[in-house]
Amino acid sequence: MCKISHVRSKKTNNTTDKPKLTKNSWKQAGKLLAYLAPYKFKFGLGLFILVFTSVLSMLFPALSGSLVDTGLGNDSESAFNLTNINDIALALMVIFGLQAVLGFFRVYLFNDVTEKVLKKLRQDTYAHIISLPMSFFDQKRVGDLNSRISADITQIQEAVTIALAEFIRQIIIIAVSITALSIYSWKLTLTMLASLPVVIIVAIIMGKRVKKLSKATQDKVSDSNIIVEETFTGIQSVKAFANEFFEISRYQVATEDIRKLAMKNAIARGLLSSFIVFALFGAIVLVIWQAANLLQNNELQPGELMSFLLYTIFVGASIGGMADLYARIQKAVGATEDLMSIMDEAEEKVNVTQNLSRDSSFKGAVEFKNIEFSYPSRPDTKVLKGISWNAKEGENVALVGSSGSGKSTTVQLLMRFYNPANGSIQIDGLPVEEYDLSKLRNEMAIVPQEVILFGGTIKENIAYGNPSAGMEEIIDAAKKANAYDFIQGFPDGLETVVGERGIQLSGGQRQRIAIARAVLKDPKILILDEATSSLDSESEKLVQDALDKLMKGRTSIVIAHRLSTIRNADKIVVLEQGEIKEV
């Protein structure tokens, strides 16, 4: 069992072997600057405060050394010509106080800008994804898309608010500290810097390893989230097949993979940290040894030595943290690249305005002319092979045929979920490409075989057909769909929560809610995709009666197996293996 679950979890892992970061990765990350642009003043002010407080903190070692020399009575003055220990101590307290106040504003400004940027980024990403064509969703998993919006944006948030600011701070600290060290004693500075090349080379090599493992761990977490998404979405199937153990085993394998990668990452980080600590302490020993010689020769004062050691510690701590900070920034760049690759996908030309106007001249006469089609994911398999048929305004046309004959594909082309490879589809004598896509779909409604309701109330699900409808219109639609009686039977009536995917309702009840939604939309073209095939005879009778009412006065395209569904059809189109056998 565990062996099978391991194979299945491997199938979900489509992002582990990602390419290394390239120039294009950084170019994609640069697109975030467009989101920062509206807040450039706030972000610039935050950066200024960051630089100022970082430089200000560099006065601490210098003043501390002056404090020691003044206390020992040595002839040494601070950078501010302070010769009294009380004045120096007061100056240090003022610096710390100013840093604290400015530090608060820096954190506030960075977080304020970041949260606004991320809000806009989340909104744009969601709006973009929801505007992508069906061919995109055929090739993507829901869990993976959810991870892009949540996990990837969280990575970006961490980088902008914490890692980037700290990275800039450490660079400033290193630059100022090395300059100060050179002023105090160039001999000691050379001794201290002698160990830096080795530390930097090892940090870069091991840092790349840490980055690779971190990214792989992130991808594995994304894969485990996909397993959770799949399992919870199909929980009825899991329960029905008594496959709880199978799914638990599958998730255990995925989480064990996460643990193994995380431990590899921890070992790499631990080795990197240990090496840097060893190198730093080794450098400190060398510095102290050299300083002792300089003190003996009166080339260095005790206070200057203290300042030097403090600056050395600052440099060491900054270099030690640089590898981790850079790895976190690289992770964010990788996450941005993933996110922007989705944002680069071509959208459908949908209209996202709240209330689309209805076209009174739209009649709903449909004509297919020599249509050929293959799905983008299976370009070598022709699903439709030159089919031609028509439905006049208000006509009821039934599409029948065995599974895989192309019935559902036909209506998907009519709704422009996909575009045909050859031929044309016309409505009211005009090619469908000439219609505004959203307005075209707004004149259609579909009642599918497998109705998926949203997790809100019955009222919200019916109102999905026309979000601006009033309560009276919703009730009227429910009555026409033969749904109002069972709705009234619930204690909360229309406010009854239907549960995830409508799980609280029976199949027949879900179908009637879907019909009520279609009634409320009042479409010119109605599509029924085997709407009664999975119902018992009693539910079918109620649903069929509601469908008969709904089809009156509309162009209706009915996909069906049962004779009862098509008994009132004006025309029956028989499909077989993508071809029309008879009409």
Side-chain angles (χ1 to χ4, degrees), residues 403-420:
S403 296
S405 60
K407 305 184 301 296
S408 295
T409 300
T410 301
V411 298
Q412 287 179 337
L413 290 176
L414 179 60
M415 298 192 76
R416 291 201 63 197
F417 288 165
Y418 305 94
N419 293 314

Side-chain angles (χ1 to χ4, degrees), residues 383-399:
V383 181
L384 297 178
K385 306 168 185 175
I387 68 168
S388 299
W389 61 273
N390 67 80
K392 297 176 183 177
E393 177 190 347
E395 199 170 44
N396 182 343
V397 175
L399 302 179

Side-chain angles (χ1 to χ4, degrees), residues 132-154:
L132 291 174
M134 287 298 296
S135 55
F136 172 82
F137 292 97
D138 290 342
Q139 301 170 40
K140 297 290 183 180
R141 291 177 178 269
V142 173
D144 187 48
L145 294 176
N146 186 46
S147 178
R148 298 284 78 81
I149 293 178
S150 56
D152 284 355
I153 291 181
T154 300

Side-chain angles (χ1 to χ4, degrees), residues 242-300:
N243 268 342
E244 289 90 347
F245 175 74
F246 179 86
E247 296 299 340
I248 290 170
S249 299
R250 189 159 74 109
Y251 189 67
Q252 285 175 344
V253 170
T255 49
E256 176 62 16
D257 287 343
I258 294 171
R259 187 198 67 80
K260 287 178 180 177
L261 271 176
M263 286 310 300
K264 285 182 180 179
N265 191 18
I267 290 170
R269 288 164 68 109
L271 288 172
L272 177 60
S273 178
S274 298
F275 173 81
I276 289 174
V277 168
F278 172 78
L280 290 178
F281 277 107
I284 290 171
V285 170
L286 286 174
V287 167
I288 293 173
W289 170 77
Q290 178 71 305
N293 288 327
L294 293 174
L295 282 170
Q296 280 185 341
N297 298 327
N298 292 320
E299 295 181 42
L300 196 67

Side-chain angles (χ1 to χ4, degrees), residues 71-310:
L72 292 173
N74 294 328
D75 293 331
S76 175
E77 292 185 356
S78 72
F80 298 103
N81 295 319
L82 301 174
T83 56
N84 186 287
I85 58 173
N86 295 328
D87 293 337
I88 298 173
L90 181 61
L92 283 169
M93 294 303 295
V94 169
I95 289 171
F96 292 148
L98 190 59
Q99 265 195 302
V101 173
L102 292 176
F104 167 79
F105 284 107
R106 192 264 302 172
V107 171
Y108 174 82
L109 288 169
F110 272 4
N111 277 274
D112 182 49
V113 170
T114 302
E115 292 304 326
K116 286 176 179 175
V117 166
L118 294 182
K119 179 196 73 173
K120 180 64 175 170
L121 187 59
R122 285 189 178 101
Q123 291 173 347
D124 285 358
T125 304
Y126 180 79
H128 179 78
I129 290 175
I130 211 169
S131 301
L132 291 174
M134 287 298 296
S135 55
F136 172 82
F137 292 97
D138 290 342
Q139 301 170 40
K140 297 290 183 180
R141 291 177 178 269
V142 173
D144 187 48
L145 294 176
N146 186 46
S147 178
R148 298 284 78 81
I149 293 178
S150 56
D152 284 355
I153 291 181
T154 300
Q155 291 282 350
I156 296 168
Q157 179 183 27
E158 181 187 347
V160 176
T161 54
I162 301 172
L164 182 61
E166 284 303 311
F167 191 74
I168 294 171
R169 182 196 296 278
Q170 303 307 344
I171 289 174
I172 293 169
I173 288 173
I174 291 171
V176 174
S177 295
I178 291 176
T179 302
L181 289 172
S182 301
I183 294 171
Y184 279 109
S185 173
W186 63 269
K187 291 182 181 179
L188 274 182
T189 303
L190 288 177
T191 304
M192 186 269 292
L193 293 178
S195 61
L196 272 183
V198 177
V199 177
I200 291 172
I201 291 169
V202 174
I204 290 173
I205 294 172
M206 296 191 70
K208 286 183 178 180
R209 172 69 174 166
V210 168
K211 180 204 73 177
K212 185 177 179 181
L213 288 171
S214 296
K215 198 162 190 175
T217 304
Q218 181 187 343
D219 294 337
K220 283 289 185 182
V221 171
S222 177
D223 291 339
S224 70
N225 289 338
I226 290 172
I227 293 173
V228 172
E229 181 92 22
E230 287 179 342
T231 304
F232 290 169
T233 301
I235 192 65
Q236 280 188 319
S237 297
V238 175
K239 297 288 184 184
F241 285 91
N243 268 342
E244 289 90 347
F245 175 74
F246 179 86
E247 296 299 340
I248 290 170
S249 299
R250 189 159 74 109
Y251 189 67
Q252 285 175 344
V253 170
T255 49
E256 176 62 16
D257 287 343
I258 294 171
R259 187 198 67 80
K260 287 178 180 177
L261 271 176
M263 286 310 300
K264 285 182 180 179
N265 191 18
I267 290 170
R269 288 164 68 109
L271 288 172
L272 177 60
S273 178
S274 298
F275 173 81
I276 289 174
V277 168
F278 172 78
L280 290 178
F281 277 107
I284 290 171
V285 170
L286 286 174
V287 167
I288 293 173
W289 170 77
Q290 178 71 305
N293 288 327
L294 293 174
L295 282 170
Q296 280 185 341
N297 298 327
N298 292 320
E299 295 181 42
L300 196 67
Q301 297 294 329
E304 291 175 334
L305 175 59
M306 180 178 178
S307 295
F308 192 95
L309 290 176
L310 287 173

Side-chain angles (χ1 to χ4, degrees), residues 371-374 378 380-387 400-410 573-582:
I371 294 297
E372 294 183 354
F373 176 73
S374 299
R378 293 173 285 147
D380 298 330
T381 305
K382 271 195 176 181
V383 181
L384 297 178
K385 306 168 185 175
I387 68 168
V400 300
S402 58
S403 296
S405 60
K407 305 184 301 296
S408 295
T409 300
T410 301
V573 179
V574 182
L575 287 166
E576 184 178 325
Q577 295 183 346
E579 298 178 323
I580 293 179
K581 289 302 177 184
E582 58 180 315

Side-chain angles (χ1 to χ4, degrees), residues 194 283 330 341 396 583:
Q330 283 188 307
S341 67
N396 182 343
V583 178

